Amino acid sequence: RSNLLFSTNLKVSLLDNFDDLIYPPVNTYPAQVRSDIKKYLNNLGENISIGRAQFEYFKTIKTNNHLLLTAGIFEEMFSGYGFEYLKFNPKSRINWGFEASKVYKRGYKFDFDLLDYTNTTYFFNVFYKFRKGIAFDAKLSFGEYLAGDKGMTIELSRSFRNGISMGIFATKTDVSADQFGEGSFDKGIFFNIPFNLPFVSNERKISNFTWRPLTKDPASKLIKRNNLYSLVNKYSVIAVD
């Protein structure tokens, strides 16, 4: 159905040197949610791995009020269920929303097993469109991250007519610079590049790439397939002057 989607991806490694990843992380404060990525990569290639298998249900409650319900395997490291609400007025520069997810740490073999770590992550999001001078979008998120730390993430991005967007982000939580370790706080860059899949559909797909200099546990968010603001903003036909 147009508002009920099931999406999945399967992974297999044909050639890699992940077995060389043998050194454990130095710092796993406040909880180990991302720094054990080596244990996942060590098992990639043993069998066909499930990267994602989730249901998404979209609903416009009333004009400018949107809801997204999600359940299943969110990503390589987490399963769970959650929702996102967005108040979006295409004529307004500022919009806002709220999201929350109950997450369960996946087993290291990319199957349906779960580890004993669970948490509820939530964020209040504010979006603003700057249209004076160089046009760009800003997003502020306040809430609790996967490891249980609380803080704020700021994203600045710019979109182009060909559909490509790029931006930067930085996060500061209640984890001190000393506790965070090298890098002091989380930061990085991201690119979203549209492309067409021949013989599949006329719909353009989006390839998402995020780079951060270090993989740390604090300031970690779910790696989502979709978020409401990007989807609604993409199909909005009313531009903000």
Side-chain angles (χ1 to χ4, degrees), residues 107-125:
Y108 296 125
K109 294 185 177 181
F110 293 99
D111 51 21
F112 296 100
D113 289 340
L114 300 174
L115 303 179
D116 60 359
Y117 182 80
T118 182
N119 190 25
T120 299
T121 176
Y122 56 88
F123 294 96
F124 179 73
N125 304 311

mmCIF file of all heavy atoms in Angstrom, residues 107-125:
data_model
loop_
_atom_site.group_PDB
_atom_site.id
_atom_site.type_symbol
_atom_site.label_atom_id
_atom_site.label_comp_id
_atom_site.label_asym_id
_atom_site.label_seq_id
_atom_site.Cartn_x
_atom_site.Cartn_y
_atom_site.Cartn_z
ATOM 1 N N GLY A 107 22.203 -9.074 18.088
ATOM 2 C CA GLY A 107 23.332 -9.975 18.222
ATOM 3 C C GLY A 107 24.365 -9.716 17.137
ATOM 4 O O GLY A 107 24.080 -9.092 16.111
ATOM 5 N N TYR A 108 25.569 -10.223 17.349
ATOM 6 C CA TYR A 108 26.687 -9.901 16.473
ATOM 7 C C TYR A 108 26.676 -10.651 15.143
ATOM 8 O O TYR A 108 27.490 -10.364 14.266
ATOM 9 C CB TYR A 108 28.008 -10.171 17.196
ATOM 10 C CG TYR A 108 28.215 -9.281 18.397
ATOM 11 C CD1 TYR A 108 28.478 -9.822 19.659
ATOM 12 C CD2 TYR A 108 28.139 -7.892 18.274
ATOM 13 C CE1 TYR A 108 28.668 -9.007 20.759
ATOM 14 C CE2 TYR A 108 28.329 -7.064 19.374
ATOM 15 C CZ TYR A 108 28.590 -7.626 20.606
ATOM 16 O OH TYR A 108 28.765 -6.814 21.698
ATOM 17 N N LYS A 109 25.751 -11.597 14.957
ATOM 18 C CA LYS A 109 25.727 -12.391 13.729
ATOM 19 C C LYS A 109 24.696 -11.891 12.716
ATOM 20 O O LYS A 109 24.399 -12.577 11.740
ATOM 21 C CB LYS A 109 25.467 -13.857 14.057
ATOM 22 C CG LYS A 109 26.603 -14.505 14.838
ATOM 23 C CD LYS A 109 26.367 -15.995 15.046
ATOM 24 C CE LYS A 109 27.554 -16.631 15.771
ATOM 25 N NZ LYS A 109 27.363 -18.085 15.959
ATOM 26 N N PHE A 110 24.133 -10.703 12.932
ATOM 27 C CA PHE A 110 23.189 -10.085 11.988
ATOM 28 C C PHE A 110 21.946 -10.948 11.764
ATOM 29 O O PHE A 110 21.378 -10.951 10.679
ATOM 30 C CB PHE A 110 23.857 -9.819 10.633
ATOM 31 C CG PHE A 110 24.933 -8.769 10.663
ATOM 32 C CD1 PHE A 110 26.258 -9.132 10.724
ATOM 33 C CD2 PHE A 110 24.608 -7.425 10.616
ATOM 34 C CE1 PHE A 110 27.265 -8.169 10.742
ATOM 35 C CE2 PHE A 110 25.599 -6.459 10.635
ATOM 36 C CZ PHE A 110 26.926 -6.829 10.697
ATOM 37 N N ASP A 111 21.537 -11.674 12.787
ATOM 38 C CA ASP A 111 20.321 -12.475 12.655
ATOM 39 C C ASP A 111 19.242 -11.876 13.557
ATOM 40 O O ASP A 111 19.219 -10.674 13.791
ATOM 41 C CB ASP A 111 20.592 -13.944 12.984
ATOM 42 C CG ASP A 111 21.295 -14.116 14.322
ATOM 43 O OD1 ASP A 111 21.217 -13.191 15.166
ATOM 44 O OD2 ASP A 111 21.906 -15.183 14.547
ATOM 45 N N PHE A 112 18.352 -12.700 14.097
ATOM 46 C CA PHE A 112 17.254 -12.188 14.913
ATOM 47 C C PHE A 112 17.561 -12.220 16.414
ATOM 48 O O PHE A 112 16.700 -11.870 17.213
ATOM 49 C CB PHE A 112 15.973 -12.990 14.629
ATOM 50 C CG PHE A 112 15.490 -12.837 13.214
ATOM 51 C CD1 PHE A 112 15.751 -13.828 12.263
ATOM 52 C CD2 PHE A 112 14.783 -11.712 12.820
ATOM 53 C CE1 PHE A 112 15.305 -13.687 10.955
ATOM 54 C CE2 PHE A 112 14.340 -11.561 11.520
ATOM 55 C CZ PHE A 112 14.600 -12.554 10.585
ATOM 56 N N ASP A 113 18.758 -12.643 16.798
ATOM 57 C CA ASP A 113 19.127 -12.671 18.209
ATOM 58 C C ASP A 113 19.316 -11.258 18.752
ATOM 59 O O ASP A 113 19.679 -10.328 18.019
ATOM 60 C CB ASP A 113 20.418 -13.465 18.403
ATOM 61 C CG ASP A 113 20.219 -14.954 18.179
ATOM 62 O OD1 ASP A 113 19.053 -15.399 18.249
ATOM 63 O OD2 ASP A 113 21.218 -15.652 17.937
ATOM 64 N N LEU A 114 19.078 -11.106 20.048
ATOM 65 C CA LEU A 114 19.230 -9.824 20.719
ATOM 66 C C LEU A 114 20.183 -9.960 21.899
ATOM 67 O O LEU A 114 20.234 -11.008 22.549
ATOM 68 C CB LEU A 114 17.876 -9.301 21.209
ATOM 69 C CG LEU A 114 16.798 -9.050 20.147
ATOM 70 C CD1 LEU A 114 15.481 -8.682 20.817
ATOM 71 C CD2 LEU A 114 17.236 -7.961 19.176
ATOM 72 N N LEU A 115 20.926 -8.896 22.172
ATOM 73 C CA LEU A 115 21.758 -8.832 23.362
ATOM 74 C C LEU A 115 20.912 -8.305 24.525
ATOM 75 O O LEU A 115 19.719 -8.049 24.371
ATOM 76 C CB LEU A 115 22.973 -7.936 23.102
ATOM 77 C CG LEU A 115 23.854 -8.342 21.913
ATOM 78 C CD1 LEU A 115 25.018 -7.368 21.748
ATOM 79 C CD2 LEU A 115 24.379 -9.764 22.077
ATOM 80 N N ASP A 116 21.520 -8.142 25.686
ATOM 81 C CA ASP A 116 20.740 -7.751 26.866
ATOM 82 C C ASP A 116 20.636 -6.245 27.048
ATOM 83 O O ASP A 116 20.170 -5.773 28.092
ATOM 84 C CB ASP A 116 21.326 -8.389 28.130
ATOM 85 C CG ASP A 116 22.769 -7.962 28.381
ATOM 86 O OD1 ASP A 116 23.311 -7.190 27.564
ATOM 87 O OD2 ASP A 116 23.351 -8.394 29.401
ATOM 88 N N TYR A 117 21.047 -5.449 26.030
ATOM 89 C CA TYR A 117 20.964 -3.989 26.168
ATOM 90 C C TYR A 117 19.705 -3.466 25.490
ATOM 91 O O TYR A 117 19.397 -3.814 24.343
ATOM 92 C CB TYR A 117 22.187 -3.303 25.554
ATOM 93 C CG TYR A 117 22.136 -1.796 25.720
ATOM 94 C CD1 TYR A 117 22.497 -1.199 26.913
ATOM 95 C CD2 TYR A 117 21.675 -0.984 24.684
ATOM 96 C CE1 TYR A 117 22.431 0.174 27.082
ATOM 97 C CE2 TYR A 117 21.613 0.393 24.841
ATOM 98 C CZ TYR A 117 21.984 0.964 26.042
ATOM 99 O OH TYR A 117 21.906 2.331 26.207
ATOM 100 N N THR A 118 18.976 -2.616 26.201
ATOM 101 C CA THR A 118 17.794 -1.965 25.653
ATOM 102 C C THR A 118 17.701 -0.545 26.199
ATOM 103 O O THR A 118 18.226 -0.249 27.284
ATOM 104 C CB THR A 118 16.508 -2.754 25.993
ATOM 105 O OG1 THR A 118 15.376 -2.108 25.400
ATOM 106 C CG2 THR A 118 16.305 -2.815 27.495
ATOM 107 N N ASN A 119 17.058 0.331 25.450
ATOM 108 C CA ASN A 119 16.903 1.717 25.894
ATOM 109 C C ASN A 119 15.745 2.343 25.128
ATOM 110 O O ASN A 119 15.311 1.823 24.083
ATOM 111 C CB ASN A 119 18.186 2.513 25.654
ATOM 112 C CG ASN A 119 18.150 3.876 26.328
ATOM 113 O OD1 ASN A 119 17.445 4.072 27.307
ATOM 114 N ND2 ASN A 119 18.894 4.822 25.791
ATOM 115 N N THR A 120 15.241 3.457 25.640
ATOM 116 C CA THR A 120 14.251 4.264 24.926
ATOM 117 C C THR A 120 14.902 5.586 24.556
ATOM 118 O O THR A 120 15.338 6.337 25.441
ATOM 119 C CB THR A 120 13.003 4.513 25.791
ATOM 120 O OG1 THR A 120 12.396 3.263 26.121
ATOM 121 C CG2 THR A 120 11.997 5.374 25.034
ATOM 122 N N THR A 121 15.004 5.838 23.269
ATOM 123 C CA THR A 121 15.615 7.066 22.793
ATOM 124 C C THR A 121 14.530 7.984 22.259
ATOM 125 O O THR A 121 13.562 7.529 21.644
ATOM 126 C CB THR A 121 16.675 6.769 21.710
ATOM 127 O OG1 THR A 121 17.206 7.990 21.180
ATOM 128 C CG2 THR A 121 16.095 5.945 20.568
ATOM 129 N N TYR A 122 14.670 9.290 22.505
ATOM 130 C CA TYR A 122 13.631 10.240 22.095
ATOM 131 C C TYR A 122 14.271 11.592 21.783
ATOM 132 O O TYR A 122 15.328 11.936 22.340
ATOM 133 C CB TYR A 122 12.588 10.409 23.204
ATOM 134 C CG TYR A 122 13.169 10.836 24.531
ATOM 135 C CD1 TYR A 122 13.349 12.188 24.844
ATOM 136 C CD2 TYR A 122 13.558 9.891 25.474
ATOM 137 C CE1 TYR A 122 13.906 12.578 26.050
ATOM 138 C CE2 TYR A 122 14.102 10.269 26.683
ATOM 139 C CZ TYR A 122 14.276 11.618 26.971
ATOM 140 O OH TYR A 122 14.838 11.995 28.161
ATOM 141 N N PHE A 123 13.615 12.344 20.877
ATOM 142 C CA PHE A 123 14.129 13.653 20.480
ATOM 143 C C PHE A 123 13.000 14.612 20.147
ATOM 144 O O PHE A 123 11.997 14.218 19.531
ATOM 145 C CB PHE A 123 15.057 13.540 19.264
ATOM 146 C CG PHE A 123 16.323 12.787 19.534
ATOM 147 C CD1 PHE A 123 16.411 11.431 19.225
ATOM 148 C CD2 PHE A 123 17.401 13.401 20.141
ATOM 149 C CE1 PHE A 123 17.562 10.723 19.503
ATOM 150 C CE2 PHE A 123 18.551 12.702 20.426
ATOM 151 C CZ PHE A 123 18.643 11.361 20.098
ATOM 152 N N PHE A 124 13.164 15.857 20.531
ATOM 153 C CA PHE A 124 12.337 16.964 20.075
ATOM 154 C C PHE A 124 13.126 17.690 19.003
ATOM 155 O O PHE A 124 14.270 18.096 19.236
ATOM 156 C CB PHE A 124 11.996 17.907 21.231
ATOM 157 C CG PHE A 124 11.169 19.085 20.807
ATOM 158 C CD1 PHE A 124 9.826 18.938 20.481
ATOM 159 C CD2 PHE A 124 11.737 20.345 20.708
ATOM 160 C CE1 PHE A 124 9.061 20.029 20.078
ATOM 161 C CE2 PHE A 124 10.987 21.439 20.314
ATOM 162 C CZ PHE A 124 9.645 21.283 19.992
ATOM 163 N N ASN A 125 12.553 17.817 17.807
ATOM 164 C CA ASN A 125 13.265 18.360 16.653
ATOM 165 C C ASN A 125 12.666 19.691 16.199
ATOM 166 O O ASN A 125 11.443 19.835 16.137
ATOM 167 C CB ASN A 125 13.209 17.377 15.476
ATOM 168 C CG ASN A 125 13.752 16.003 15.840
ATOM 169 O OD1 ASN A 125 14.830 15.893 16.414
ATOM 170 N ND2 ASN A 125 13.010 14.963 15.513
#
